[in-house]
Amino acid sequence: MVKLTAKSWKFESGTISPNYKGSAVLSTDVLPECSRDNVVTYKLDYTVESQEGNLKCRENSVINGTWGVNTDKKSMYVKLSSEYMNKLEYVEVSDSTLKYRYSWTNIDGTFTIFYKFKAI
């Protein structure tokens, strides 16, 4: 987890598979526009901070939460403020890149979003 906590991370791209509700989903559509310039910092004390960029989604420019590694050691959980907890599966954690996927199932099927962040 040293690589995860050594730097802050900014969204670079994302894809969803399969296409949600039969429509093409652009890589930038996996996050609201106001979240694409946020900076996320995972800290060694298992707190996480999401700092709003120039495009604001909320009035509060900093959202704090917690993160941790699941017992499978292949995934982590992230909970920002009172929002629901997400289970994120690692794809890659390097000095410059953080990739993970998030899957969910609803009445339309099972979908996976692949996120890529760059170190800043």
Side-chain angles (χ1 to χ4, degrees), residues 11-14 26-38 100 113 115-117:
F11 176 75
E12 186 170 77
S13 66
L26 301 175
S27 64
T28 55
D29 290 341
V30 298
L31 283 179
E33 186 175 355
C34 59
S35 294
R36 294 180 207 149
D37 65 347
N38 293 1
Y100 60 80
I113 299 177
Y115 293 99
K116 181 179 179 185
F117 291 79

Side-chain angles (χ1 to χ4, degrees), residues 5-67:
T5 59
K7 298 179 181 177
S8 294
W9 304 93
K10 188 171 180 181
F11 176 75
E12 186 170 77
S13 66
T15 58
I16 188 169
S17 178
N19 289 338
Y20 189 63
K21 295 200 176 196
S23 62
V25 177
L26 301 175
S27 64
T28 55
D29 290 341
V30 298
L31 283 179
E33 186 175 355
C34 59
S35 294
R36 294 180 207 149
D37 65 347
N38 293 1
V39 173
V40 179
T41 305
Y42 298 95
K43 300 178 182 178
L44 287 172
D45 65 356
Y46 296 102
T47 60
V48 59
E49 179 181 282
S50 178
Q51 174 76 43
E52 294 270 352
N54 291 329
L55 303 172
K56 306 286 187 219
C57 292
R58 300 172 176 87
E59 288 182 29
N60 185 2
S61 63
V62 177
I63 301 169
N64 294 299
T66 58
W67 72 278

Side-chain angles (χ1 to χ4, degrees), residues 63-79:
I63 301 169
N64 294 299
T66 58
W67 72 278
V69 178
N70 290 314
T71 55
D72 63 9
K73 305 286 189 218
K74 297 177 183 177
S75 63
M76 65 188 278
Y77 65 85
V78 177
K79 184 174 183 180

Side-chain angles (χ1 to χ4, degrees), residues 86-97:
N86 288 319
K87 180 182 177 183
L88 310 171
E89 296 177 64
Y90 304 117
V91 176
E92 176 186 345
V93 182
S94 70
D95 292 334
S96 60
T97 302

